[in-house]
Every structure is written in structure tokens, then in C-alpha cells.
Amino acid sequence: MSQSVQNGAAKDLVKEKGPLASALTDFWRAFRKNKPAIVGAGIVLFFIVLAVFARFIAPQGINDQNINIRLEPPSAQHWLGTDDFGRDIFSRIVFGAQLSLRVGFLAVIGSIIFGTLLGVIAGYFGKFIDTVISRFFDILLAFPSILLSIAIVSVLGPSLNNALVAIAIVNVPVFGRLVRSRVLTVKEEEYIVAARSIGMGNTRIIFNHILPNSFAPVIVQGTLNIATAILDAAGLGFLGMGAQPPQPEWGTMLSASRQYITNAPWTVLFPGLAIVLVVVGFNLMGDGLRDALDPRMKN
């Protein structure tokens, strides 16, 4: 009898896992057909590997200076040349990947957490709460993102961590409005009405039904916003309001080298190329995720 019960439980477990495995298989099948998305994912993976293994990949330390080889062009010794302090640009770009990806991921994660929380509250409970939260989103969206980021960093003080906080705050309404619109649709579905009718609490309904059915577009938007966050961090670094020297953040490297653009263009070219590649990679991957997760894009 015990053996029969165990077999029945095992069969139930297989049935529960079946739809998830099928959904993942369908997602991967749709995603891999999108060649630009695969290229984007490859670029992102490349920079993640650089960031994770920077200590082993970089041939020199980020602040190892040798004034005798300052502004040296790319060579076998220094693959991407040296900057005005004789520091190896390749090593600084590799370690800069850690800073840029950290800002991108942490800023977006923070935006998703607070934006989702506010969006769910506004969309699910509605009425006065919805009005207050929606007007808060409108106020934040009324300012250009880079100007609002500059204003926040001006109050907090220029640093990479404060730039991260500013970028996270600026992106909260993006996710908040996205989640709110999804919640407004999902909460009117029949299974939500049925859950309320049997006495299920609001917390269980939100976490068991609302959020799981509203999170796919958040994943797509989050991937796209990582690129935006990295770009904003580079912009703040270029203006001197983000990472501070001698941190090897790509925007800060551009700012420090802009005066050498005519006689040592490699000091500007390679940090700028790193920014372009990682932003393009996240955008291509985000487009692929959107196409793979959106049922309207499927045949």
C-alpha cells in the first residue's frame, strides 16, 4: 500500500513538472531561432566571463603605472595600448566590466523590486492608492532620466554607488507602470474571481496568481533596462558624477582620455567600443526574449 502511494506521488510530481519543462523547451526553441538574439546573448556572456574572471584574464593591475610607456599604441605587450599614466587599457577594460555589469544588474534588480511592489499595490487595490502611486510615477517620468539621475547624484554626492541608486530610482516607474497594467488585466480573469469567491486572501492571490502571470514582460524589460543602466552609468561617469578616478569604469575612462582623442585615439576608442558592444548585446538579447516570451509573436 505504501509503495502504491509513493508511485502515485511520483506520477503527480512528473505531471507537475511537465508543463514547466514544456514551457522552457518552447522558450528555448523560439529563442534560438532568433539569430540576432543568440549573437546578443553571446556578447553578454563574453562580458560576464570577463567580469567574473577579470583577475585571471587581465595581464596587469588596473593601477600599475609606467610613465615611460604612457600613450603607447596597441602592441604585443599592451594589446589595447596604454593611457596617459602608462596603465594597460585592456586590463582596465576587463576590470571595468565588473563595475559596469554590477551597476546594470543591481540597479535593475532594485528597480524591479520596488517598481513591482508599487505596481502590484496600485493595480490590485486601485482607487485612492492607485491614484497616488500613479501620480508619483508620472512625476518621475516627467524628467529626462539622465537629468533626474544627475539631480539625485548631486544631492547624494558623486560616486559609483550613488549613481547606482540614482539609476535604480529613475527606472522604478518603468517597471511600476508595466506591472500595474498587467495586474489590471490579470485580476479580472475568471480564476482570480474564483480564488476570491472561495475566500483566498489578497496576499496569496498576489503571490500565487497575479505575480507569476505578470512577470514575463518584466523579465524582457529588465534585460533591456540593463543596457540603459550601463549607458546611464557611463554617462554619469563621463560627467564626473559616477565612478571616480582611478576606478576603471568605462565612462570615466572616456572622460579622462577625451583630450587625447587626436594623438592617442585608442584611449577613447576601446572603452567606447566596450560600452557599445555590451549595450547592443543586451538590446539584442532583450528583443529575443520578448519574441520568445510573447505568445502574440508565435505562429
Side-chain angles (χ1 to χ4, degrees):
M1 184 66 178
S2 176
Q3 184 67 28
S4 176
V5 171
Q6 290 179 357
N7 291 338
K11 290 179 180 179
D12 291 340
L13 184 61
V14 171
K15 290 180 180 179
E16 288 178 1
K17 290 185 176 182
L20 177 60
S22 178
L24 291 175
T25 301
D26 292 342
F27 161 75
W28 173 243
R29 186 179 295 115
F31 184 79
R32 70 181 181 183
K33 289 181 180 178
N34 191 325
K35 301 304 180 185
I38 294 296
V39 172
I43 295 173
V44 170
L45 180 60
F46 170 75
F47 279 100
I48 290 176
V49 170
L50 284 185
V52 172
F53 298 102
R55 184 175 299 180
F56 306 100
I57 295 174
Q60 297 184 16
I62 56 175
N63 293 316
D64 291 349
Q65 301 181 19
N66 186 349
I67 203 68
N68 295 322
I69 57 171
R70 64 188 300 269
L71 300 178
E72 183 178 275
S75 62
Q77 183 68 25
H78 302 282
W79 295 349
L80 304 183
T82 61
D83 63 8
D84 54 320
F85 287 99
R87 296 172 297 193
D88 185 69
I89 293 178
F90 175 72
S91 299
R92 290 177 63 78
I93 287 178
V94 169
F95 277 97
Q98 291 183 337
L99 301 180
S100 294
L101 292 178
R102 179 164 68 90
V103 170
F105 281 106
L106 293 183
V108 168
I109 289 172
S111 300
I112 289 175
I113 292 173
F114 289 102
T116 299
L117 176 64
L118 293 175
V120 167
I121 293 173
Y124 188 79
F125 295 101
K127 298 180 181 179
F128 177 74
I129 296 176
D130 184 19
T131 301
V132 172
I133 294 177
S134 295
R135 296 298 77 79
F136 171 68
F137 291 160
D138 292 340
I139 291 171
L140 291 181
L141 291 171
F143 299 93
S145 60
I146 189 65
L147 292 182
L148 184 57
S149 299
I150 291 173
I152 295 172
V153 173
S154 298
V155 174
L156 299 177
S159 72
L160 184 64
N161 289 334
N162 289 341
L164 189 157
V165 171
I167 294 168
I169 293 173
V170 167
N171 284 297
V172 164
V174 175
F175 295 99
R177 294 184 70 176
L178 178 63
V179 172
R180 174 185 174 274
S181 65
R182 286 291 301 165
V183 171
L184 288 173
T185 301
V186 173
K187 76 174 186 178
E188 301 300 330
E189 296 288 343
E190 293 181 359
Y191 61 89
I192 301 297
V193 176
R196 290 199 195 97
S197 67
I198 62 175
M200 184 177 290
N202 290 329
T203 303
R204 286 189 63 191
I205 291 175
I206 289 172
F207 284 96
N208 291 353
H209 300 292
I210 299 288
L211 282 179
N213 289 285
S214 305
F215 217 67
V218 174
I219 295 174
V220 175
Q221 188 63 46
T223 305
L224 296 172
N225 270 56
I226 291 175
T228 304
I230 291 173
L231 203 56
D232 288 346
L236 291 172
F238 185 83
L239 296 173
M241 306 194 73
Q244 300 298 301
Q247 287 182 301
E249 196 273 325
W250 296 334
T252 305
M253 292 174 65
L254 282 175
S255 178
S257 302
R258 65 183 186 276
Q259 59 184 313
Y260 305 108
I261 191 171
T262 55
N263 60 330
W266 55 88
T267 59
V268 177
L269 173 64
F270 294 116
L273 187 60
I275 295 172
V276 170
L277 283 176
V278 75
V279 169
V280 169
F282 275 108
N283 282 333
L284 291 176
M285 189 172 72
D287 289 340
L289 288 174
R290 179 198 60 203
D291 295 345
L293 292 173
D294 190 346
R296 292 171 299 179
M297 303 297 294
K298 299 177 181 179
N299 293 328

